[in-house]
Amino acid sequence: MTQQHVVAAVDGSLFSVRALDQAAHEAARRGAALRVLYAVSDRDEAGPVLASAAARVRERHPGLPVETRAVEDDVVRALVRESANAVLTVVGTRGLGGLAGFVLGAVSTRLASRTRGPLMVVRGSLPRGNSSHDDCRDVLLGLADDTDTEAAVYAFREAEARGARLRVLHSPAHRHTTPELPSPFSATSPGQRRQATLDRSEEAVTRFALAGIRELHPSVEVDSRTVRTAPAHALVEATRDAAVVVVGSHRRGTRHGGHPGPITHALLHGAHCPVVIVPVG
């Protein structure tokens, strides 16, 4: 049986070195191999960068199987192909500004809506060396609705593997409510009753979506709440105390996957920890 593998994209930049370190940590934690990919216009240019990446991984994770691969292709197309058979694909993101930062930021954004398997975009500060400090922090799940099953399953498995608590932030789709005149009796107007019913049904979405998965992971402690205002801001703020945040990516828009939604976009640009995007549907 072919060993599972994690894919790391490198290009010699500081961003990709941080992604490489995280990818090696993830591969070691999963008992998987690490495949280091460099997409270039000329394969001869890849040798030094790939050799340096492999040496860094072997020094920090002795015994971890490492494979390097240079491909003459656009980096997004190459990573979309690689993600189909990987347990996780890891890339860096914009960090120091300038052209390199812009290009890498664009890559992570394009991949977010096209990847065929879980994609980790490395943000925030990383633990030094082989530290497992992050494994003691919460796993955060951004849940839009009960179709985000794949993302929820991934988050539960992550929390279980890390021995961590799972925090769920449910952000229901915005619904416009027509203002009405105040009622002389508290919470008894038709609009207030409708809103109360809607609130209860939205909160039930989280329980319904997670019920079956919780039965498969009884050891995972779950803390869930519904966020009705500024969900993107709330989720970004919640990442300050998380080891990783997990969200689903729905295949909307063009045949190439369209663009990431506002919450995913906000996380890619402002999360304080790595962001895992799981294809949904």
Side-chain angles (χ1 to χ4, degrees):
M1 180 181 294
T2 303
Q3 185 177 15
Q4 291 183 325
H5 65 276
V6 171
V7 171
V10 299
D11 63 3
S13 67
L14 173 62
F15 319 107
S16 71
V17 170
R18 295 178 70 239
L20 175 70
D21 289 347
Q22 183 74 40
H25 178 68
E26 297 294 333
R29 193 162 59 82
R30 288 169 167 78
L34 178 64
R35 178 177 296 171
V36 184
L37 182 77
Y38 188 11
V40 288
S41 57
D42 184 348
R43 290 175 187 266
D44 292 339
E45 300 175 6
V49 170
L50 289 175
S52 175
R56 181 181 180 89
V57 171
R58 292 182 178 120
E59 178 183 0
R60 296 184 168 212
H61 299 273
L64 178 66
V66 182
E67 172 194 0
T68 59
R69 179 176 295 185
V71 294
E72 295 179 355
D73 199 355
D74 172 75
V75 63
V76 172
R77 283 196 301 266
L79 287 172
V80 168
R81 285 196 307 269
E82 290 287 337
S83 68
N85 298 314
V87 294
L88 183 66
T89 300
V90 184
V91 298
T93 189
R94 168 169 49 196
L96 298 181
L99 179 60
F102 173 79
V103 172
L104 284 165
V107 166
S108 62
T109 301
R110 289 164 62 197
L111 277 172
S113 56
R114 296 181 60 186
T115 184
R116 298 175 184 173
L119 170 72
M120 175 179 281
V121 180
V122 177
R123 290 195 54 85
S125 59
L126 302 181
R128 295 177 180 268
N130 297 332
S131 170
S132 60
H133 170 68
D134 267 7
D135 289 347
C136 300
R137 304 171 76 184
D138 292 346
V139 171
L140 181 64
L141 169 63
L143 189 69
D145 53 45
D146 57 2
T147 66
D148 285 348
T149 305
E150 292 93 335
V153 168
Y154 185 97
F156 266 91
R157 289 174 177 170
E158 276 293 294
E160 185 172 61
R162 295 169 181 263
R165 180 179 64 164
L166 176 62
R167 280 189 293 146
V168 182
L169 264 65
H170 173 220
S171 53
H174 173 73
R175 295 178 176 85
H176 176 71
T177 302
T178 302
E180 62 175 330
L181 293 175
S183 169
F185 304 101
S186 175
T188 59
S189 73
Q192 289 171 317
R193 289 196 296 270
R194 284 195 301 271
Q195 186 61 49
T197 300
L198 180 59
D199 289 347
R200 288 193 297 269
S201 66
E202 288 174 343
E203 290 171 356
V205 167
T206 305
R207 296 194 298 272
F208 176 79
L210 303 181
I213 307 172
R214 290 185 73 164
E215 291 181 0
L216 299 176
H217 304 275
S219 65
V220 176
E221 177 188 352
V222 181
D223 174 31
S224 63
R225 66 186 180 95
T226 299
V227 179
R228 295 184 178 84
T229 58
H233 175 74
L235 197 56
V236 168
E237 283 300 301
T239 64
R240 293 182 183 275
D241 300 315
V244 63
V245 57
V246 181
V247 290
S249 173
H250 294 264
R251 298 308 192 227
R252 301 188 181 99
T254 70
R255 63 189 178 92
H256 297 299
H259 302 284
I263 289 179
T264 300
H265 188 269
L267 288 171
L268 289 177
H269 289 81
H272 301 278
C273 68
V275 180
V276 173
I277 301 163
V278 180
V280 174

